[in-house]
Every structure is written in C-alpha cells, then in structure tokens.
Amino acid sequence: MTASLERTAPEGTGAPGRARLDTRTLRTDRWWLQPLVTVAVLLSFIAYATFRAFHNTYYFLDPYISPFYSPCLSDSCAPAPHISLFPSNAFFTPAIFILVFPLGFRLTCYYYRKAYYRSFWMSPPACAVAEPHGKYTGETRLPLVGNNIHRYFFYAGLVFNVILTYDAFLAFRFEEDGAHRFGVGLGTLVLLTNATLLWLYSLSCHSCRHIMGGRLNHFSKHPVRYRFWTFVSKLNHHHMKFAWVSLFGVALTDLYVWLVSAGVFDDPRWIS
Ligand code: FES
C-alpha cells in the first residue's frame, strides 16, 4: 500500500496531478519579508558574537561578568571568577573555549532549525513558495544528521544556565571599602533577566518536554512527570518567542557589561 502510494504520489509542481506553474509562487503578499528579517537578525548576532568572542576585553566589571565569557576556563580572566584549565591567546580566547555549547544548543534547536532552513537554505522559504532545490534528503545525512544530538546540548545548556544564574546572584554582592555588601545595580537586574530568559528558553525546549513526558503509556501512573510535562508544554507553546528574546538577552547583557566596564557610563547601583 505504501509502495503504491509512493509510486503514484505527485512529486512537486509540474508533476502529474500537480499544477503546471511557470512562476515560483502565486502569492502576492510580502512572503519574503520574514526569511529576510530572520537572515538579517541571525547574521547580526553572529557578527556581534564573533567580534566579542575575539575582542577578549571589557567582559568583566566586578561583580558583573558577560555571559559570553562565563564560565571562564582560563586564568587570563582574572580578576573575574575563573578556573585555570586552558592557557588563552588572541585566537583561543576564554569565550572560544565555551562557545561550542551555547552555539550547538541554538544551532540544533528545533525552532532555529526551522528558521534557518527556511531563511538561509530556502527549504522552503515560505508556504506555497517553491524551493530552489531539486532534492530533499531531510536530516538523514551529514552534516544535518548531527542535529539529532540536540538533547545532549540541552543538558549542557542546563549546566550553563546554572552557572549564569550563579553569576546573577554574585551580582548582588559588591565590594566596598574591602568588605562585601549586599546591593542591587542595573547590571544585577540585567544579569538576572538574562538568566531568567535562558531558563525559559531551555525549559520550553522540545527535548525537555519529551524528557518530562515522553515514552509513557499512562500519565495516570506518573502524576509527577505529568505535572512537569503539563508545565513544560505550556512553556513550549512560546518556545519561538523565548528563542528570540533570550538571543537578544544574551547579546544585550554582554553589551551592557562591555559598556560599563569600558567606562562609557556608570552602572546605577544601590548598596546597603
Ligand atoms: S527545541 Fe529549541 S532549545 Fe530545544
């Protein structure tokens, strides 16, 4: 049955049983706007993140550290909190050592996959718009088959979230006259917002939802997992929004730390 369906199924515009169109689409609206904006935003983020990863300066002003440089695995980060694991140089900066994890997490994200397949690869660029490729192999071959390791990047992402949340809590502790005091600065709120957005992005992940409620035959026998699954499902509904907002959040948090550490403006703060 399946074989006969496969044999007789139309295979695209112009195939038997399908409309013969000389044009790529009959759509008259601005269908190209969304993929264009997606390309522009993602390229802007990549350009900014690449520059900052090699900038290797202005990423720490006590008690704030940029999310691009945390956790810092090189002693070149001192006086920022760090673990001396790797020597760093102009190319292998502390940001480069950790880049693979957040990058891999975003790159293999189910939502971002949809976004960049449609916008960069135009596969397809929009509904009812023919794609320029003659062949479709899905995610069955290299390099796209690698996207299946998303779940492992999700686990790594959780570790990063814990570290960045810890950074946000450290941002309540200000050193003054040789003593540590509790305080709140604008930077504290910026780091806290960034950590919150990253948690929302991670917890709304499709893999997270599957981890919570997947492979169960009876929710009634797993009430705790069912509760978590219900909660994550609600977040999952907004995953696209969290994906974009948290991306901006990371970049803006880094920008804030850059500007205050470079002395462009003072961080407004209240210290007890
Ligand atoms: S699906 Fe987007 S982070 Fe997992």
Side-chain angles (χ1 to χ4, degrees), residues 19-135:
R20 292 196 170 276
L21 300 176
D22 295 329
T23 175
R24 220 170 129 207
T25 182
L26 296 176
R27 284 180 66 166
T28 53
D29 61 333
R30 291 185 292 173
W31 58 263
W32 42 266
L33 191 57
Q34 189 171 342
L36 190 67
V37 170
T38 305
V39 166
V41 173
L42 287 180
L43 283 182
S44 305
F45 179 81
I46 291 167
Y48 176 80
T50 305
F51 169 72
R52 283 293 284 153
F54 290 108
H55 198 194
N56 202 9
T57 185
Y58 297 130
Y59 54 80
F60 178 71
L61 176 75
D62 195 25
Y64 310 139
I65 185 164
S66 158
F68 286 175
Y69 283 81
S70 181
C72 178
L73 304 180
S74 169
D75 54 11
S76 67
C77 294
H82 62 278
I83 304 168
S84 303
L85 275 186
F86 306 110
S88 70
N89 55 39
F91 183 77
F92 289 107
T93 68
I96 296 294
F97 293 135
I98 55 173
L99 183 69
V100 64
F101 298 104
L103 183 68
F105 188 36
R106 300 251 173 195
L107 216 54
T108 59
C109 162
Y110 288 85
Y111 167 67
Y112 281 114
R113 273 142 79 175
K114 171 184 153 187
Y116 68 76
Y117 288 165
R118 289 188 177 189
S119 55
F120 284 85
W121 193 238
M122 296 196 286
S123 180
C127 289
V129 180
E131 59 181 290
H133 313 288
K135 196 162 74 164

Side-chain angles (χ1 to χ4, degrees), residues 205-226:
C205 167
H206 297 272
S207 288
C208 180
R209 184 168 179 260
H210 185 260
I211 291 164
M212 294 302 163
R215 293 175 177 271
L216 293 181
N217 289 330
H218 306 283
F219 271 136
S220 56
K221 291 183 183 164
H222 303 273
V224 176
R225 285 186 66 184
Y226 176 66

